[in-house]
Structures are given as structure tokens and as C-alpha cells.
Amino acid sequence: MRPISLTLKGFRGIRDGLGRDVIELDFERLANDAQLIAIVGSNGRGKTTLMDNMTPFPTMPSRAGADGLGGFSYYDQVCLPESVKDLVWEHGGERYRSQLVFRLNGKKKTEAFLHVRRGDSWQPMRADDGTVSDGKVDTYVQCVERILGSAETFFTSVFAAQGRRQLSAYKNGEIKTLLADLLGLEAIRALGAKALETAKLLKAGLVAVRQERAGLRAEVEQVARELSQLGDAGARIAAAQTTKAARQAALDGLKAELAKHVATRDVTMQTEARRAQLAEERRSIIEAGKAALGALDAQDRREGERLDQLNRRIRQRAEDERKRRKGLNEQRTRLEATLQASGVIERANQRLGQAESVVVHREERLARLRRVAERLEKLRADSKLARERIAGIEREAGQASLKAQELSLRFRLTAEVPCAGTDLQGRCKLLSDAREAQSLKPSADAQIARLAAQRASVVERLKTLEAEAQELAAAPARLNTAETRLKRSRERLTKVAARAARHGELAQARETLAGIVRQLASLPRQDGEETVEEKTERGAIAAARQAIVAQREGEAQRQRQSLSRADAAIAALPASFDASQIERAQRGVEEAQRALVTTETMYLKAVRDQQAGEEFRRRKAVIEARLTALDTRMRRIEDQVGVWMLFAKCMSNDGLIALSIDDSGPTLSGLANDLLLACYGPRFTVSLKTLVETAKGEAREGFDIVVHDAESGEAKSVTQMSAGERVWINESLTRAIALYLTQNSGRKYGTLFSDEADGPLDPERKRMFMAMKREVLRIGGYSQEFFVSQTPELAAMADVVIDLEAFKSAPQTEPSLLS
């Protein structure tokens, strides 16, 4: 993979670093055939943003974390409503174009297109499996990985992102996954995954079989419980038959007794008919008596209601007369009170005009006093302004006095300057400054005199204002007194006007009072006295009620005589038949019938239980046969699960993949040691270990990089080395991985990328670091490497330098090239 050109639009790193929204770089023209191309610029110029976007993968590895494969969003790195990444690149003799468009207009949306060059036009990329790059990010990633392989391998082997993890920090599973991809062991991993999926499906089927077996076992237990609940059905059938015969005999006896009681009742039916007739006659007598007494009672109630109505009329008339008398007396009292106040009203009517003139006079006086108070307030405000003006003039005069003193001091220097009278006085700046002070001093004195005159004028006006204000100092007190007096006058006027307004009421009150006296005289002397008609009506009501009482006593006597005759006839009849005997006999027959039905039900239930027991025993035998078949099937599935799990483990990272990694370990170690020997000398050699020792001294699957130090003769893990030593050991291993990938897997990228990987190295190691870069290019047959470094010495050792400062200073010109 080799970048040809790159266009970035709307990226924050470029806008913040270079002050421009769009940057275009033609690497084919800028780098030409150079092998080492350095990208330089001060901090924050966008070097890392540029480097991260020189690959077609849709991520910025230095921003994503987790070696470029963690959580990442382009929307945190772009700023325009529509931002674009346009990368043209080559791989395997084909030229491709990656276009990623990020839209922020309302809803966020990303479109990704991959095109391949066919003749003079770009055509959408179509993978071998039929996947077409149609603008979706998923299909774009699939097409890119078909060409370049997985992003994990790319960013581990040929792209050294800023801040990436070192190989020693990888976990066992991560490093094995990476090395498996390098060794082309995906087919083994795919077999292992299929075997594991088969085992999962078998386990799922086994769970279903176990659930079915559990259901059958529960069903067997339920059938057994039901069989135990049925008990001995044959014994219950025999007992039910015996009980049924005994209860049938008892029912027959009770029926015979009931028939005897019914025959006796039929014989006595004629006597009972006569008894019923007499009882009916007695009931008729009682009903007729009740009706007659009810009619008399109704008549008596009507007469009582007439009396109540008479009494209510009398009481209502008395109440009306009392209320009328009371109302007239109250009205008479009010009118008399009004007439008693006639003298006060007459006097108020005479004094009304005088009170009004007093109010008008005092309102005019109050208006004059308010104008005087307003004049006093204005004088006080003018006095305050005059004092502020005097303070301002005094400050200005003080500043003018200080300036005059300064000019006097500067002027006295004309006699004290040593160069006065010599040939140097024309060039002496101190002397010229003193002479300038001489010309300015008269104007300063004139300003002081002018300010003194202004102050005297303002002081004179302030005295005049204060004298006039002193004369008017008593105005607020007089104003308050005038306001109080006006308020009292207005209140007095209101009272006098209210009394005078009642002057017209006096004549009307005298006339009304005379009419009320006449009405009181026409009222009866005693309230509630009955009239002649009312007394006559009361006597008629009393006579009617007395007649009703006599009629009631006669009707009661006749009813008692009729009832006595009917009771004597009923007593002469023979005793009546006891119907309760038939009821008791019927209840006995019903109870015997219910007992017989219960016995028959028990018998039928025992028969059904016997049949159900036979059915349960048959079902239990069938279920037990199915359980035996399921147990055999479960054992076969469990055996198959074990086989497929073992096969999956053999095809996993800890199986054939681990063995293949162990086989490739010496080759990788050899490539890394060759780079270390060629660039850093024979001091360090490395070896890879896939078995590590636990705290108990046992070996387990793991990964560790062991470094052998020729100077000390010790071997230790790379994690125990210094930061600088870890850097070049890690870079040797990652470049060895890239070389191994080129030599053994046939996957060749052609270009390497490195972003500030030389940070912890000392100056000597930095030069060795550059030598290793060229050695990697030579051994691996790579065409070029792009790298970012903040070390000027390393940039100077590059074949071409792309300086981003040129884009900052002159955005419309091409960058300078340093060879």
C-alpha cells in the first residue's frame, strides 16, 4: 500500500494548526522516489492528523486508542457541515481511491466509497465474494480488508501510531490472534470456530433433550402420585355395594310411613274445610272493623287538620300585625331622630360657603409654599454643582502647578548642562528639552491664573446661592404645616357638606311621621284576637270530633260480638290434623334418597378410579420406555459435545495455532536480532516465549519477550528494561513482524508509517533508529517510509522533508522540499 495523494477538508487538526479548512498533498510529486520522507512542523500543526489519514482504513489510530482499533468517531475531529477525506493509493499494481464524507447537517451521516482505476475512469470496487462498495461504511471496510488484510495486522506491523501499546503490553489472546493472522492461520481458526459452533448447537440440543427428559420424569412422578391417591379401588367398590343395599331398605320403610300419614290427612279434610271457612269469616269481620275504624280515624284527622289550619291563620295574622307595628315604630324613631338634628343641619347649611372659601384659601397658600420649596431644592442642587466645580478646578490647578514646577526644573538645566556654550550644544538632547520647557512655561502660568479666576467666580456664586438657601430654609416646615391645615379644612368641609345635604329631608320627615302616627292608631290594641267567624268555626270542629269518638266506640262493640260468635264455632270443631308429621316423613324420605345417591356416586367413582388406575399404569410404562430412549440419546450427544469441544480447542489459540506460533518464534526472533545487530550492535538479542511460569513454578500459556544482555550476561523480560531500551526492542520486533509478513505470507504493503516513535531515545540511539529504518526498507523490499519526528537531526537524515510550516505561512503555495 502506497499513498499517492491526500485531500482533507474540514478537519479540526488542520484548521487549528494551519488555519485552513482544506489541505491537498500530492505525495507522488512531493516524495518522488525518496525512501525516507519526514513530515515536520511545530507542535499542533496537524502532523498526526495528516499521518492518521494516509491509510484507507476509516479510523485515526492515534485518536482511537487500543492500537488504533478502539472507540473512535470522526465527528469529534471534523468541523464543517460536510467534511471529506479523499485518499488515492496503490497496492498490488492497482490504483484505488478512498472517499469518506462526514455530514453534520442536522442528523449525522457518514458515506464511504472505494473506487478502483480502470482505464481513464474510476469504478466502484467489487470484491471476489460479490461485495460492492456502495457508500455504506460496512461494505467499504469489507472491501478494504479484502485488499490489505485486517486492520489489526496493518496497525501492528507497518503503522506505528503515536502512543500505541508496545508488544510486551499485549495480552496472551491478543498476541496470538495477531500472530495467527500473520502466519495465515485463519483457516485453522475458522475450523475451530465451526467446531465450537457445532459444540454450541449440540449443547443447545442437549439442553432441549434434558428439558424433555425432565418433563417426562415429572410426568412419571405425577402418574405415580395419582396412582397412590387412587388407593384400593376394588375394596371401595365392595363396601359401596353393601352400603347401597342397606340405604335402599331404609328408604322403602320411610316411604311406607309417609303414605300412612297422607291417608290420615285425607280423612280429616272436610273438618279442615269448615275450619278454614270459619277462619275466613273471622278474618272478614276483622277487616271490616279495621276499614270502619280507619274511615273514622281519617275523618278525625281531617277535623284535626282544620283546627290546625285555624290556629295557624290566627298566629300568622298576629305575627303580621306585630311586625307591622314594630316596623312603623322603628321608622317613627328614625324620623324623630332626624327632626331632633334639624338645628345642626340648619347651622351646617349656613356654614357651608365659609368652609369652602377656607379650603380654597389654604390650597392657594400651599401652592405658593410648594414653589418656594422647589426653589430651595434647586438652590441646594446648584450649590452642590458649584462645590464639585470648585473641586475640579482645584484638581486641574494642582496638575497645572505641578507641570509649571516641572518646566521650571527643566529650564534651570540650561545653566547646568556641561555642553552649554560648546560645539556639542546643538546635538545635546537634554539642552534642547530644557529650552522647550522655557517656551512652555508662560502658557502653564497663564493656565494657573485662568483657573484661579474661575475658582473665585464659582466661590462668589456659591456664597450667593447659600445665602438665598439660608433665607428659604424654613420653607419645608411651613409647607408641612400648610398641608396639615388643608387636610383638616377639607375634612371639616366634608362633614359640613354631608350635614347640609340633609336639609331637604326635614320637610319630608315631618310629613312621613304624621302618616306613621295615623297608621299606628288604626292598628288593633291586642295582637292575635279571634274574630266571630273564627270562634264559630272552632266550635263546629269540636262538635264533629266528639261525634267521631262515639261512632268509634259503637263500631268496636259490634266487632267484638261478631268475633266471639266465630271463635265459639271454631272451638266446637274437632282437633286439626298435625301436618308436621307429613313434613317430617317427607324430610326423612329426602334424606334417605340423598344418602342413596351419595352411595351410588361413591360406587361409580370407585369403578372409574379402577379404570383410571389401569390407564395410569399403562402410561407409566410408555413414559419409562421413552425415558430409557432419551437417556441413550443424551449419552450420545454428550460424547459428541466432548469430541467437538476437544477439536475446537485443538484448532484454537492454545492448540495448533500455538504450535504454529512456537514454530515461527525463532524466525521472528531471528529477524528482530538481525535488525538489532545491524543497527544497535551485538549487545541485545531477543527470544519469544509462549509458555510462562506461574508463581507456583508451573508452566501455562502466555506471551513474553525475553532480552539477553551480552554485557551483563543476564536475560530479563522486556518489561524490566528502561523506556528507551523498550522502544528500540519494540520497534525491532514490530518491523520484524512486517518483514515476516512480507517474506512468509506474501502480503506486502510497500510503505511503512511511523509517528514520533523515537521520543525516549538518546541522540546516538536516534541515529541508530534511522539506520534501522533503512535496513528494514532494504531487507523487506519496501519502497518508502513516512515518519513524523520532532528531532531536527532525524529530519535532516530523511531523503525528503514535508514542512507543514510552509502551509501555515503561504496557504496557496506548494510546500518546500528539502533533500
Side-chain angles (χ1 to χ4, degrees):
M1 180 267 165
R2 183 169 70 91
I4 304 301
S5 65
L6 174 64
T7 299
L8 297 179
K9 175 185 175 182
F11 279 74
R12 294 183 185 275
I14 301 302
R15 185 195 63 180
D16 296 343
L18 301 178
R20 53 194 300 168
D21 292 331
V22 181
I23 185 172
E24 298 180 3
L25 292 175
D26 187 351
F27 298 114
E28 192 172 36
R29 182 176 61 81
L30 294 174
N32 201 0
D33 294 331
Q35 289 187 318
L36 289 179
I37 301 98
I39 300 176
V40 300
S42 58
N43 289 336
R45 284 288 180 259
K47 301 184 295 298
T48 298
T49 300
L50 189 66
M51 177 70 74
D52 284 349
N53 286 287
M54 289 172 65
T55 72
F57 291 100
T59 184
M60 294 175 65
S62 64
R63 301 288 193 269
D67 307 311
L69 302 172
F72 172 74
S73 173
Y74 266 109
Y75 294 106
D76 298 332
Q77 308 299 324
V78 297
C79 56
L80 294 181
E82 181 176 289
S83 303
V84 179
K85 168 186 173 180
D86 192 338
L87 175 67
V88 179
W89 49 285
E90 269 187 356
H91 184 76
E94 296 283 356
R95 180 162 291 197
Y96 302 92
R97 184 178 184 181
S98 295
Q99 290 179 308
L100 279 73
V101 182
F102 314 100
R103 292 186 172 88
L104 293 174
N105 292 327
K107 186 177 180 181
K108 296 179 180 179
K109 183 178 181 181
T110 302
E111 295 181 354
F113 301 92
L114 179 62
H115 295 83
V116 61
R117 189 76 173 182
R118 293 289 184 264
D120 295 334
S121 62
W122 294 101
Q123 298 181 4
M125 174 63 189
R126 181 183 295 275
D128 297 338
D129 60 354
T131 302
V132 179
S133 178
D134 54 1
K136 298 179 181 177
V137 177
D138 293 341
T139 56
Y140 173 83
V141 172
Q142 294 176 19
C143 292
V144 170
E145 290 189 346
R146 285 282 183 176
I147 301 170
L148 299 180
S150 67
E152 293 89 340
T153 302
F154 183 87
F155 288 115
T156 302
S157 59
V158 300
F159 195 104
Q162 188 178 134
R164 67 170 179 170
R165 283 190 305 170
Q166 297 183 354
L167 289 177
S168 58
Y170 276 62
K171 297 179 181 179
N172 179 36
E174 293 175 329
I175 195 65
K176 287 186 177 180
T177 300
L178 174 64
L179 294 177
D181 185 59
L182 293 175
L183 298 172
L185 302 178
E186 287 301 323
I188 297 177
R189 186 188 302 279
L191 285 175
K194 291 180 180 178
L196 186 61
E197 185 65 24
T198 302
K200 289 180 179 179
L201 293 175
L202 287 173
K203 287 181 179 179
L206 183 61
V207 169
V209 172
R210 286 174 176 169
Q211 291 176 348
E212 183 180 359
R213 184 181 184 279
L216 292 175
R217 176 58 62 186
E219 190 175 354
V220 167
E221 294 174 356
Q222 179 65 26
V223 170
R225 284 194 298 271
E226 291 177 352
L227 277 173
S228 63
Q229 291 173 0
L230 292 176
D232 190 357
R236 285 190 286 122
I237 290 173
Q241 288 176 340
T242 302
T243 304
K244 179 181 177 182
R247 289 182 175 177
Q248 182 65 48
L251 176 62
D252 294 339
L254 290 172
K255 285 182 177 180
E257 184 178 358
L258 175 60
K260 183 178 69 173
H261 289 308
V262 170
T264 304
R265 182 193 63 186
D266 294 340
V267 172
T268 60
M269 285 182 64
Q270 294 180 354
T271 303
E272 292 301 321
R274 177 59 181 163
R275 193 189 305 277
Q277 182 182 2
L278 292 173
E280 181 63 25
E281 291 178 359
R282 188 177 188 279
R283 185 184 64 77
S284 299
I285 294 169
I286 293 173
E287 291 295 331
K290 287 181 179 179
L293 292 175
L296 292 173
D297 290 339
Q299 186 177 357
D300 185 65
R301 284 196 298 273
R302 287 194 296 272
E303 294 300 327
E305 289 174 358
R306 284 179 61 195
L307 181 61
D308 291 339
Q309 290 175 359
L310 175 62
N311 292 331
R312 282 198 297 272
R313 287 199 306 273
I314 294 172
R315 287 195 299 271
Q316 183 63 41
R317 189 181 70 253
E319 180 67 20
D320 293 341
E321 291 174 354
R322 187 185 63 78
K323 288 182 179 179
R324 186 181 179 189
R325 189 185 304 277
K326 180 180 179 182
L328 291 173
N329 286 327
E330 290 175 353
Q331 191 174 1
R332 179 180 181 179
T333 302
R334 287 196 300 272
L335 293 173
E336 289 175 348
T338 300
L339 293 175
Q340 289 176 359
S342 59
V344 176
I345 294 172
E346 291 292 345
R347 286 193 299 275
N349 190 34
Q350 294 172 1
R351 296 174 60 187
L352 178 60
Q354 183 182 358
E356 290 176 347
S357 62
V358 170
V359 170
V360 171
H361 174 70
R362 289 186 174 177
E363 286 178 347
E364 293 174 352
R365 175 176 173 77
L366 180 62
R368 289 194 300 272
L369 290 175
R370 281 178 177 169
R371 288 193 292 272
V372 173
E374 291 173 357
R375 174 61 182 168
L376 177 61
E377 291 297 326
K378 186 175 185 305
L379 290 174
R380 289 175 177 173
D382 292 343
S383 299
K384 183 178 179 182
L385 292 175
R387 292 189 190 93
E388 292 176 353
R389 177 59 180 160
I390 291 170
I393 293 172
E394 289 176 349
R395 287 194 299 272
E396 190 175 354
Q399 294 175 358
S401 176
L402 292 174
K403 184 176 181 182
Q405 292 177 5
E406 179 186 359
L407 292 174
S408 298
L409 292 175
R410 287 165 57 187
F411 175 68
R412 284 199 297 271
L413 292 177
T414 55
E416 298 176 4
V417 175
C419 61
T422 65
D423 296 337
L424 297 176
Q425 66 180 3
R427 298 192 301 273
C428 180
K429 295 182 179 180
L430 187 59
L431 188 60
S432 63
D433 186 51
R435 288 175 177 171
E436 182 184 1
Q438 181 182 9
S439 63
L440 295 176
K441 190 172 185 305
S443 63
D445 294 338
Q447 185 180 7
I448 292 173
R450 179 178 56 79
L451 292 173
Q454 289 180 358
R455 185 181 184 281
S457 174
V458 176
V459 168
E460 183 64 25
R461 173 161 176 76
L462 178 60
K463 291 179 179 179
T464 303
L465 293 173
E466 289 179 344
E468 186 178 355
Q470 186 66 28
E471 295 176 357
L472 302 178
R478 291 199 297 271
L479 178 61
N480 291 334
T481 302
E483 288 177 346
T484 303
R485 290 178 177 177
L486 177 61
K487 181 179 179 181
R488 288 200 300 268
S489 298
R490 285 175 175 171
E491 292 174 352
R492 189 180 300 112
L493 176 61
T494 301
K495 293 179 180 178
V496 170
R499 291 172 180 173
R502 299 177 60 189
H503 184 267
E505 296 179 6
L506 296 176
Q508 184 180 1
R510 292 188 184 96
E511 182 180 356
T512 305
L513 180 60
I516 291 173
V517 170
R518 287 192 297 270
Q519 291 178 16
L520 288 173
S522 64
L523 291 176
R525 295 180 179 181
Q526 184 177 1
D527 295 337
E529 184 177 357
E530 293 185 2
T531 63
V532 176
E533 292 80 5
E534 290 172 345
K535 292 179 181 179
T536 303
E537 185 179 358
R538 185 182 297 276
I541 293 173
R545 297 190 75 178
Q546 186 66 32
I548 290 171
V549 170
Q551 292 175 4
R552 183 185 290 113
E553 291 178 354
E555 183 63 30
Q557 182 64 27
R558 287 193 297 274
Q559 186 177 1
R560 285 195 293 272
Q561 293 174 358
S562 299
L563 288 176
S564 297
R565 288 194 298 272
D567 291 340
I570 292 173
L573 294 175
S576 62
F577 176 75
D578 188 5
S580 61
Q581 296 178 359
I582 296 178
E583 293 178 358
R584 288 194 295 273
Q586 287 177 343
R587 286 197 296 272
V589 170
E590 291 173 356
E591 290 175 358
Q593 288 177 341
R594 286 195 293 272
L596 180 60
V597 170
T598 302
T599 303
E600 290 177 347
T601 302
M602 293 174 59
Y603 172 74
L604 294 175
K605 185 177 183 302
V607 172
R608 286 195 296 269
D609 289 346
Q610 186 178 33
Q611 295 173 350
E614 295 175 356
E615 179 64 21
F616 284 147
R617 282 187 285 274
R618 185 189 63 78
R619 282 179 56 194
K620 184 178 179 182
V622 172
I623 295 171
E624 288 176 347
R626 290 179 61 190
L627 280 173
T628 303
L630 281 178
D631 290 339
T632 304
R633 185 181 177 190
M634 282 175 54
R635 285 193 294 273
R636 287 203 308 270
I637 295 175
E638 288 171 351
D639 293 341
Q640 289 298 315
V641 169
V643 171
W644 284 106
M645 288 296 293
L646 178 61
F647 183 72
K649 186 173 181 61
C650 292
M651 297 293 109
S652 67
N653 285 344
D654 298 332
L656 290 178
I657 293 177
L659 295 175
S660 300
I661 292 173
D662 289 339
D663 292 340
S664 65
T667 305
L668 283 173
S669 302
L671 290 172
N673 290 331
D674 290 343
L675 291 176
L676 288 172
L677 178 63
C679 303
Y680 300 106
R683 178 180 176 183
F684 294 113
T685 57
V686 298
S687 61
L688 304 180
K689 294 177 62 178
T690 57
L691 290 176
V692 296
E693 187 175 345
T694 64
K696 296 181 180 180
E698 300 173 352
R700 66 172 177 83
E701 289 290 336
F703 179 76
D704 193 14
I705 302 172
V706 180
V707 181
H708 302 272
D709 190 344
E711 292 184 1
S712 63
E714 295 181 354
K716 56 186 176 180
S717 174
V718 71
T719 57
Q720 301 176 4
M721 303 183 71
S722 67
E725 291 173 338
R726 284 200 302 270
V727 167
W728 82 67
I729 295 296
N730 186 74
E731 291 302 317
S732 299
L733 281 171
T734 55
R735 294 314 185 199
I737 290 174
L739 294 175
Y740 185 91
L741 189 65
T742 301
Q743 295 174 2
N744 294 276
S745 68
R747 186 183 299 165
K748 184 174 182 180
Y749 291 111
T751 304
L752 302 176
F753 304 87
S754 178
D755 188 358
E756 295 189 17
D758 59 318
L761 300 178
D762 57 36
E764 181 63 26
R765 293 292 188 272
K766 288 178 183 290
R767 288 191 291 273
M768 294 180 179
F769 188 64
M770 291 298 292
M772 186 185 73
K773 289 181 180 294
R774 294 192 182 275
E775 186 68 13
V776 171
L777 293 175
R778 182 187 64 79
I779 297 176
Y782 293 100
S783 60
Q784 55 188 193
E785 178 177 355
F786 290 87
F787 69 94
V788 174
S789 177
Q790 294 291 355
T791 305
E793 292 82 356
L794 293 187
M797 296 173 67
D799 300 326
V800 168
V801 176
I802 300 177
D803 189 0
L804 296 186
E805 296 294 339
F807 290 89
K808 176 67 175 178
S809 58
Q812 302 301 325
T813 61
E814 294 294 339
S816 61
L817 302 181
L818 304 177
S819 303

